[in-house]
């Protein structure tokens, strides 16, 4: 029976929430190709993390202890364990994007990046955005194996289904020469008390209109009040107001929170590409012609330096 | 040292919302839009030039070869890279529709066999296809190490290794690569201190962004070698691994209402949208 293999990602020994979106994709894809899905988790602490993955209805969970992630070492491992599967997928995180094309080449497989939807048309059809989200392409993979990265914002995190999938050891694979020519030279963790952008229920994003990194404090106040994450435009990142990992957009993070509050940003198409899937969009901008208003459910034409503090005061009356 | 930069032309990315989808969904056209060098590839050219120069003495420390797969008209974008300062160009003529990442890699593999570069510097993604696959697939095909989404590159003075800084989920990762290797570049690589090569004085700050071709550069570009090839010259018959069944527009999002003040906004968020 054709099956789907999901690569689950670990961060500090725990399964990343983003991986649960790939499980949702796998359930949908498995229904179309006519099989089930299995999970593969690799890395330091993989065996300890495996039981937490056993609750999602997978046929089995394959766990393999491995060194710190580098694509050169993980791609052969994934390829080895992917033998016989029809679809191999992971969420399009930084790691998923780095790893999966290498896996695809290993398997001589076609790959669809950043898939947002599946369809059944005499087989599995993968729908993926192009041109900064202005075009959706329906693609079929012609090779026996299809490799897929899944857009987290478009597939809900899978819920546990109960039961316990059997856990087995992942197959090992000999090291390839490329791995000897790459070494991890460090990782500086960004520490933040706020939720990750891709997991947040509420996001408050600021743009060039904030005028300085210091002024981002008013964005942070609003975000904290709503237990949300802080986002930014590329212009704000380029100007050095905030670090790059806060960038939302075509070439930053793709997000779809319940509530997205866009402050002092114009709504360039590259930014819209990263947030227009949000459930409710609020825009605060002093220019009534700003393109952000074309996608906003609620638009407020105002100076942000007055409107945001006023909004914080007003919100304090209604949220605990 | 030799750096190979693969590059592609794209329809003006700042007007990507103006591309048109044929009514039968068979193709996407960009009539009326200007063709541009894919921004990330322009950044890759800039990074390659910074690695292969001593910016204090203007001495060249290596060669930059650019290669594009695309229609005959893409010669213009190859020439643009030559005008920026790349040494040689190659255009492998192929219809964009006949290309996917695997076909690009099929051809680039053969170009690499001929050119034997020490480093391949690609863009992190082409902003029309938004695939983000070619650099990683090529690295695997060649059996080379990779560093994707480079925000900073620091080579040793002998140009044999690179320390690559990458902004990834949850933090900043650093990889040390021994050439030959593949690096794909992100936006920040063209920041004033995005590239260091151990030859240009460490305190050198570049202008932000990729360099503009100078008038002299534009004149010189006309005389630089630009090889015109076909996939068949490399023994490659384009055979994409993906088939596009159709293109369609994304669901449109309607504009909502303007609210007069924050009180109304909060009331609507609470009672109408129910998100707070
Ligand atoms: C290849 C490529 C990829 C890109 N990828 C991304 C991406 O992923 N994400 C992204 O965001 N951008 C991306 N961009 C950049 C994008 O094109 C825009 O330049 C950018 O989004 C603009 O940022 P901004 O809205 O903050 O700035 P601006 O466009 O300058 O807008 C600032 C806004 O603030 C408003 N404003 C100013 N002062 C106030 C005030 N006091 N009160 C209220 N409003 C005020 C102004 O009216 C204006 O609308 C990309 C560009 C390229 C070429
Ligand atoms: N047709 C092409 N010709 C030359 N290089 C390409 C082509 N397509 C992609 N590339 C290179 O591969 C990178 C990633 O592209 P992609 O994987 O298609 O998003 C680009 O930034 C280019 O450096």
């Amino acid at each position: 029976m054709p099956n789907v293999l999901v690569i689950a990602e670990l961060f500090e020994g725990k399964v990343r929430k983003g991986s649960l979106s790939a499980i949702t994709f796998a359930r949908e894809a498995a229904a179309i190709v006519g099989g089930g899905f299995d999970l593969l988790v690799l890395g330091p602490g993989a065996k300890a993390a495996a039981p937490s993955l056993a609750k999602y209805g997978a046929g089995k969970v394959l766990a393999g202890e491995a060194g710190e992630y580098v694509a050169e070492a993980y791609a052969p491992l994934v390829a080895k364990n992917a033998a016989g599967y029809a679809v191999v997928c992971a969420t399009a995180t930084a790691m998923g994007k780095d790893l999966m094309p290498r896996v695809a080449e290993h398997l001589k497989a076609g790959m669809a990046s950043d898939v947002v939807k599946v369809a059944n048309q005499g087989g599995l059809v993968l729908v993926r955005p192009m041109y900064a989200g202005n075009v959706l392409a329906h693609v079929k993979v012609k090779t026996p194996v299809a490799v897929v990265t899944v857009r987290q914002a478009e597939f809900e995190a899978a819920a546990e289904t109960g039961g316990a999938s059997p856990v087995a050891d992942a197959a090992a694979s000999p090291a390839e020469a490329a791995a000897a020519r790459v070494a991890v030279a460090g990782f500086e963790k960004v520490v933040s008390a706020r939720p990750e952008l891709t997991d947040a229920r509420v996001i408050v994003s600021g743009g060039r209109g904030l005028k300085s990194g210091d002024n981002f404090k008013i964005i942070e106040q609003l975000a904290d009040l709503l237990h949300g994450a802080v986002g930014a435009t590329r212009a704000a990142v380029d100007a050095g107001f905030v670090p790059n990992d806060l960038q939302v957009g075509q070439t930053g993070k793709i997000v779809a929170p319940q509530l997205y509050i866009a402050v002092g940003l114009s709504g360039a198409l590259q930014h819209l590409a990263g947030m227009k899937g949000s459930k409710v969009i609020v825009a605060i901008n002093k220019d009534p012609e700003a393109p952000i208003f074309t996608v906003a459910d609620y638009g407020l034409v105002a100076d942000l330096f007055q409107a945001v503090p006023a909004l914080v005061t007003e919100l304090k009356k209604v949220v605990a | 040292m030799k750096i190979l930069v693969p590059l592609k032309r794209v329809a003006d990315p700042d007007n990507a919302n103006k591309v048109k989808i044929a009514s039968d969904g068979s193709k996407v056209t960009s009539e009326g839009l200007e063709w541009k060098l894919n921004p990330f590839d322009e950044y890759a050219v800039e990074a390659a030039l910074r690695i292969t120069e001593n910016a204090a003495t203007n001495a060249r420390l290596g060669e930059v070869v650019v290669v594009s797969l695309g229609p005959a008209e893409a010669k213009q974008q190859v020439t643009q890279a030559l005008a920026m300062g790349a040494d040689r160009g190659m255009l492998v003529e192929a219809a964009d529709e006949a290309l996917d990442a695997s076909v690009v890699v099929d051809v680039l593999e053969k170009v690499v066999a001929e050119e034997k570069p020490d480093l391949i510097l690609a863009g992190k993604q082409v902003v029309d296809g938004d695939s983000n696959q070619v650099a990683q697939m090529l690295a695997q095909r060649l059996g080379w190490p990779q560093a994707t989404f480079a925000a900073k590159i620091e080579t040793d003075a002998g140009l044999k290794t690179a320390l690559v800084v990458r902004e990834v989920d949850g933090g900043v990762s650093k990889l040390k690569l021994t050439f030959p290797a593949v690096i794909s570049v992100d936006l920040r690589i063209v920041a004033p201190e995005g590239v260091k090569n151990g030859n240009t004085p460490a305190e050198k700050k570049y202008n932000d962004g990729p360099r503009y071709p100078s008038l002299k550069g534009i004149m010189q570009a006309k005389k630089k070698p630009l090889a015109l090839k076909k996939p068949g010259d490399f023994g490659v018959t384009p055979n994409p691994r993906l088939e596009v069944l159709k293109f369609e527009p994304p669901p449109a999002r309607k504009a909502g209402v303007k609210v007069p003040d924050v009180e109304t906004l909060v009331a609507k968020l609470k009672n109408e949208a129910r998100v707070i």
Side-chain angles (χ1 to χ4, degrees):
Chain A
M1 220 170 33
N3 283 318
V4 180
L5 181 67
V6 182
I7 318 304
E9 181 178 341
L10 293 177
F11 185 64
E12 299 186 323
K14 292 217 163 57
V15 175
R16 252 190 208 286
K17 180 156 179 249
S19 293
L20 303 182
S21 294
I23 295 179
T24 300
F25 164 85
R27 287 176 181 161
E28 294 179 17
I32 293 170
V33 299
F37 76 94
D38 294 338
L39 283 156
L40 172 65
V41 58
L42 299 169
K47 288 192 177 160
S52 75
L53 286 167
K55 301 170 190 155
Y56 292 92
K60 62 181 178 243
V61 177
L62 298 167
E65 289 295 323
E68 227 176 321
Y69 170 76
V70 288
E72 294 76 357
Y74 278 41
L77 276 174
V78 173
K80 178 92 182 194
N81 284 282
Y85 287 91
V87 182
V88 183
C89 67
T91 299
T93 57
M95 175 180 140
K97 292 179 193 174
D98 186 60
L99 172 66
M100 297 308 272
R102 211 166 165 121
V103 169
E105 180 52 33
H106 223 293
L107 297 168
K108 297 287 170 219
M111 169 166 171
S113 303
D114 228 3
V115 165
V116 297
K117 218 164 62 178
V118 295
N120 187 355
Q121 196 181 318
L124 181 65
V125 173
L126 302 157
V127 183
R128 60 172 307 267
M130 298 172 68
Y131 295 93
N134 289 289
V135 174
L136 292 177
H138 290 234
V139 302
K140 245 187 175 159
V141 176
K142 296 195 289 182
T143 51
V145 188
V147 173
V148 173
T149 54
V150 174
R151 182 173 282 191
Q152 184 179 346
E154 300 289 336
F155 289 89
E156 256 178 59
E160 292 179 7
T161 50
S165 318
V167 175
D169 285 348
S173 158
E176 291 183 359
R181 286 197 279 132
V182 60
V184 177
F187 186 81
E188 287 156 34
K189 198 176 145 186
V190 176
V191 189
S192 167
R194 301 192 183 91
E196 275 199 53
L197 267 173
T198 44
D199 299 339
R201 224 183 83 19
V202 177
I203 295 174
V204 186
S205 279
R208 184 149 36 203
L210 267 296
K211 297 204 167 60
S212 77
D214 244 11
N215 289 337
F216 254 79
K217 279 202 201 91
I218 65 174
I219 297 286
E220 290 167 4
Q221 267 176 3
L222 182 53
D224 289 343
L225 188 60
L226 299 168
H227 308 291
V230 170
T233 63
R234 174 175 164 194
V237 170
D238 276 350
F241 299 172
V242 290
N244 197 43
D245 66 322
L246 298 191
Q247 184 183 319
V248 172
Q250 179 191 17
T251 53
K253 300 239 160 68
I254 312 286
V255 300
Q258 293 292 305
L259 174 61
Y260 190 92
I261 306 182
V263 180
L265 62 86
S266 60
L269 66 91
Q270 294 94 344
H271 189 76
L272 300 185
M275 47 64 78
K276 69 181 175 193
S278 305
K279 183 156 172 278
V280 174
I281 298 174
V282 171
I284 301 175
N285 194 304
K286 66 179 180 188
D287 173 9
E289 303 299 322
I292 189 69
F293 288 121
T294 65
V295 299
D297 300 282
Y298 303 110
L300 180 62
V301 179
D303 187 312
L304 74 92
F305 295 104
Q306 265 119 53
V308 177
L311 181 56
V312 167
T313 308
E314 190 63 22
L315 275 170
K316 278 188 179 150
K317 298 180 194 163
V318 297
V319 300
Chain B
M1 101 109 30
K2 192 195 280 188
I3 303 182
L4 184 73
V5 180
L7 46 89
K8 183 179 183 295
R9 70 166 197 171
V10 295
D12 180 5
D14 288 324
N15 283 298
N17 55 350
K18 300 205 177 82
V19 298
K20 294 206 169 54
I21 300 169
S23 55
D24 64 355
S26 63
K27 61 174 188 254
V28 178
T29 54
S30 54
E31 275 140 45
L33 298 191
E34 241 182 281
W35 292 100
K36 297 265 173 80
L37 184 51
N38 179 46
F40 291 107
D41 301 349
E42 199 178 351
Y43 306 158
V45 173
E46 173 65 29
L49 293 171
R50 289 186 189 180
I51 291 173
T52 53
E53 72 189 6
N54 180 329
T57 62
N58 283 330
R60 294 299 309 270
L61 311 168
E63 193 185 15
V64 177
V65 180
V66 297
V67 52
S68 187
L69 280 80
E73 297 77 22
K75 204 177 153 189
Q76 197 189 327
Q77 282 68 36
V78 177
T79 307
Q80 181 186 336
L82 296 177
M84 287 172 73
D87 300 282
R88 284 190 290 121
M90 183 189 294
L91 175 64
V92 184
E93 255 183 81
D96 279 331
E97 301 74 52
L99 300 177
D100 70 354
S102 75
V103 178
V104 173
V105 169
D106 286 344
V107 172
L108 290 180
E109 180 190 14
K110 298 290 162 52
V111 174
V112 169
E114 261 180 28
E115 292 283 344
K116 302 191 171 48
D118 304 284
L119 177 62
I120 297 169
L121 265 181
K124 87 158 173 181
Q125 90 193 47
V126 156
V127 299
D128 53 5
D130 284 334
S131 283
N132 186 348
Q133 297 181 5
V134 166
Q136 301 91 313
M137 279 189 179
L138 181 61
Q140 178 65 40
R141 178 77 63 90
L142 298 170
W144 291 9
Q146 72 185 43
T148 51
F149 326 139
K152 277 190 183 165
I153 300 173
E154 217 170 289
T155 69
D156 67 297
L159 307 177
K160 302 276 188 242
T161 63
L163 183 70
V164 181
V165 175
R166 314 165 56 237
E167 289 168 318
V168 298
D169 299 329
V172 176
S173 123
K174 288 184 188 160
L175 293 177
K176 177 89 183 280
L177 299 180
T178 304
F179 299 161
V182 179
I183 299 178
S184 79
V185 301
D186 212 328
L187 307 162
R188 298 262 245 209
I189 201 69
V190 292
E193 297 181 278
V195 174
K196 300 226 182 286
N197 68 4
N199 293 282
T200 293
E203 60 282 0
K204 162 82 182 176
K205 283 199 174 77
Y206 278 93
N207 289 333
D208 202 4
R211 63 194 67 184
Y212 292 111
S214 64
L215 202 57
K216 190 169 152 224
I218 294 168
M219 297 310 292
Q220 284 173 340
K222 293 183 183 144
K223 293 186 214 112
K224 287 181 179 172
L226 200 172
L228 295 177
K229 302 268 191 182
K230 296 241 156 48
D233 298 337
F234 297 101
V236 174
T237 310
N239 182 19
R241 294 176 187 168
L242 295 183
E243 180 189 351
V244 179
L245 304 179
K246 67 166 177 182
F247 299 99
E248 65 177 12
R253 182 168 186 126
K254 283 203 296 284
V257 295
K258 292 247 168 71
V259 292
D261 49 42
V262 291
E263 290 77 14
T264 316
L265 175 58
V266 170
K268 288 203 181 272
L269 290 177
K270 188 167 167 62
N271 305 322
E272 197 174 87
R274 297 172 188 279
V275 285
I276 54 169

